[in-house]
Amino acid sequence: GTKYMYKACLGDYQSDVRYFKTGSQYFNFVWTSDFHAYSNGTRLNNSTANINDILAKNSGADFIFSTGDIVAHGGTYEWWEQISNINWIKEYMFCNTLGNHDWMTSAGTEVKHGANSKFFSAVSNYPKNGYGDQYNVCYYFYYGDALFICLNTEEYTQAQYDWCESVLQNNTAQYIFMFQHYQLFNKAGGANSAGY
């Protein structure tokens, strides 16, 4: 429940002041997704207005949580930069999972077009407790009495499954949140092939 203020510094450079709050027994968070920041800023502005309304109506939150696609395509750095400059990302801890748009380039979502998780990882600083080349993409953290596990729905592998199983077996929290970009069930109520 402690609030911290910090700056990132490198040589003479100092970032804006940013904040985060450590976990406590009771906490709340804003869950958002798919605002696809794009060149004209309209999508991000609309999402930010919604997030700011939620924060105002609930007297803030402990953190902001996203299930991906925060940029229109991850290969365009300026859209990640847009997000880094909005008010709520400076005022709250933000956790996110890789979405298919965060993974892709302007040419598409296929690896042959340059799509990969490196865009997401380059602009993020999540716990380095994933596996293989998925450190900072797949990760977990404890917040209060809850375990949050982030999965990569673009690269389902046995290694990801084994890592997740190990995290669950070593869990000490009462509550578990597993999050990924794709939903487990489709709109008809059946298993969504990728997510499931």
Side-chain angles (χ1 to χ4, degrees):
T2 304
K3 191 170 185 179
Y4 288 89
M5 175 178 70
Y6 69 99
K7 286 184 177 183
C9 302
L10 180 63
D12 292 335
Y13 171 79
Q14 291 188 14
S15 73
D16 293 338
V17 173
R18 295 175 186 254
Y19 300 89
F20 72 92
K21 184 178 174 186
T22 57
S24 57
Q25 183 177 3
Y26 300 103
F27 62 90
N28 63 14
F29 59 92
V30 175
W31 179 5
T32 186
S33 185
D34 292 84
F35 40 86
H36 298 213
Y38 195 62
S39 56
N40 64 12
T42 302
R43 296 172 182 179
L44 182 57
N45 292 340
N46 291 338
S47 296
T48 294
N50 287 335
I51 289 168
N52 286 337
D53 283 348
I54 292 167
L55 293 170
K57 288 178 182 174
N58 290 286
S59 301
D62 292 298
F63 63 92
I64 298 174
F65 169 88
S66 171
T67 45
D69 278 1
I70 63 172
V71 294
H73 43 81
T76 306
Y77 177 74
E78 69 185 87
W79 300 337
W80 294 105
E81 192 174 26
Q82 277 182 14
I83 291 167
S84 73
N85 288 315
I86 54 179
N87 67 307
W88 53 261
I89 207 155
K90 295 178 181 182
E91 296 168 10
Y92 294 92
M93 182 183 92
F94 178 66
C95 60
N96 186 29
T97 187
L98 177 75
N100 59 304
H101 282 263
D102 305 322
W103 155 276
M104 69 188 282
T105 66
S106 58
T109 60
E110 297 175 359
V111 172
K112 69 181 181 182
H113 296 300
N116 64 67
S117 59
K118 291 179 181 173
F119 308 127
F120 178 89
S121 184
V123 298
S124 304
N125 189 22
Y126 297 119
K128 309 301 188 281
N129 55 23
Y131 61 93
D133 66 350
Q134 293 298 296
Y135 284 94
N136 204 43
V137 177
C138 290
Y139 60 94
Y140 69 90
F141 64 93
Y142 287 92
Y143 200 86
D145 198 20
L147 168 65
F148 288 78
I149 304 173
C150 176
L151 302 175
N152 178 355
T153 51
E154 293 301 318
E155 293 186 341
Y156 282 119
T157 62
Q158 186 65 41
Q160 181 172 215
Y161 177 86
D162 293 344
W163 167 78
C164 184
E165 184 69 21
S166 174
V167 172
L168 290 169
Q169 287 175 355
N170 293 307
N171 172 48
T172 60
Q174 180 176 359
Y175 304 102
I176 300 170
F177 293 84
M178 291 181 67
F179 61 108
Q180 60 186 15
H181 180 59
Y182 295 127
Q183 68 276 17
L184 290 178
F185 302 101
N186 62 33
K187 61 186 175 185
N192 179 41
S193 59
Y196 200 76

